[in-house]
Amino acid sequence: YKIKQDMIDSFYTIEFATVRQIEENGIVVIDEIDKIVSDPSAVHNSVVSDKGVQNDLLPLLDGTVVPITHAPGRPKIDTRNILFVGCGAFETVKPTDLIPELQGRLPVQVKTEPLTKEDFVKILNKTEFNWIEKRRQMMLVDNVNLVVEEAAIWEIAQVAAEINQEEDIGARRLQTIIEAVLESVSFNAGSGQTMTDLLVTPEFVRENTKHLAKKVNYRKEILQQFT
């Protein structure tokens, strides 16, 4: 009984510390907040529902107590001191199209610049567990040792920057490119019993990604026909 009680006491101590940490240092990112904003010039039913969603966010930003229903003990979190950050592309609407009440609760607006080739290189080199490292670890299971030249990383970054000029999806472009570069290799991996080195060069990157730009341009042409 004492061991069980000690475990319960430890759980509630950890739970209290976690809730307090969230309340004092928590950051909540509301991604793609522009998706709940309707074009004010448009006339359709979604305008009403979008404003309803925005209104539902107001109590959270003002500060309210939110119960965590699926956690043991149903802890409650006070959102008064949590930092809320709204992110969005705002391609067809503007931040000023948010309802005035929500604009007032998100007073600081920052416009970001598109990621550059240098930014992509930093993401691939300095992120602790980046997409290249993930694929390297995955391919080790199939006895493939992935070796990516530094020049190849710069080539991946160059391709990402070029394609993002046509359709900017930010750093997610890197994942698309790396998957394209390693698609054929990943499909055939696992057939050997001994460890095999795979060297990725700039030429290998360019050869395996040249179809991506064509897909983006083709998709843009189709969308333009219907707009």
Side-chain angles (χ1 to χ4, degrees):
Y1 174 79
K2 184 178 184 304
I3 295 176
K4 183 177 180 181
Q5 187 61 46
D6 289 344
M7 291 176 64
I8 294 174
D9 293 341
S10 297
F11 169 77
Y12 281 108
T13 300
I14 295 172
E15 178 189 286
F16 176 78
T18 303
V19 169
R20 185 173 180 180
Q21 184 75 1
I22 293 172
E23 291 180 339
E24 294 181 355
N25 302 302
I27 300 176
V28 175
V29 177
I30 308 173
D31 197 13
E32 297 190 349
I33 197 172
D34 56 314
K35 298 299 188 295
I36 60 170
V37 183
S38 296
D39 187 345
S41 62
V43 181
H44 45 72
N45 294 332
S46 67
V47 174
V48 177
S49 61
D50 290 343
K51 288 185 177 180
V53 175
Q54 294 180 55
N55 277 303
D56 289 341
L57 289 174
L58 298 180
L60 287 175
L61 274 65
D62 284 337
T64 188
V65 177
V66 180
I68 310 301
T69 56
H70 298 292
R74 294 173 62 87
K76 297 180 179 180
I77 294 177
D78 191 333
T79 66
R80 282 181 297 178
N81 296 318
I82 293 178
L83 174 63
F84 286 86
V85 180
C87 305
F90 289 97
E91 295 176 338
T92 59
V93 294
K94 304 184 295 295
T96 52
D97 292 328
L98 290 163
I99 61 174
E101 296 85 353
L102 191 55
Q103 291 183 51
R105 289 162 176 80
L106 298 171
V108 180
Q109 295 183 14
V110 178
K111 182 179 179 181
T112 58
E113 298 296 329
L115 293 171
T116 64
K117 179 173 69 173
E118 290 73 19
D119 295 326
F120 287 128
V121 172
K122 288 180 182 178
I123 293 171
L124 292 177
N125 276 336
K126 298 187 180 298
T127 306
E128 183 176 356
F129 199 56
N130 57 66
W131 281 300
I132 291 178
E133 184 59 30
K134 288 179 182 178
R135 295 308 296 265
R136 181 182 288 118
Q137 296 297 329
M138 291 173 62
M139 296 182 75
L140 282 174
V141 177
D142 295 319
N143 293 322
V144 177
N145 179 34
L146 179 64
V147 180
V148 182
E149 292 183 348
E150 182 66 21
I153 291 178
W154 280 91
E155 186 64 27
I156 292 172
Q158 177 64 36
V159 174
E162 290 175 1
I163 300 179
N164 266 6
Q165 289 180 357
E166 301 297 330
E167 183 186 39
D168 194 350
I169 61 172
R172 288 175 293 175
R173 182 69 65 189
L174 291 173
Q175 183 178 10
T176 304
I177 292 172
I178 292 170
E179 288 178 352
V181 170
L182 301 176
E183 182 177 10
S184 61
V185 179
S186 300
F187 183 78
N188 296 316
S191 57
Q193 298 300 318
T194 58
M195 187 66 69
T196 304
D197 289 336
L198 172 63
L199 179 63
V200 177
T201 64
E203 295 76 19
F204 187 83
V205 172
R206 184 62 67 171
E207 178 64 25
N208 287 277
T209 57
K210 58 185 180 182
H211 65 285
L212 294 179
K214 295 179 180 178
K215 284 184 177 180
V216 171
N217 292 332
Y218 182 64
R219 185 160 58 247
K220 286 188 65 178
E221 290 176 4
I222 294 176
L223 290 174
Q224 288 173 358
Q225 292 178 8
F226 293 94
T227 56

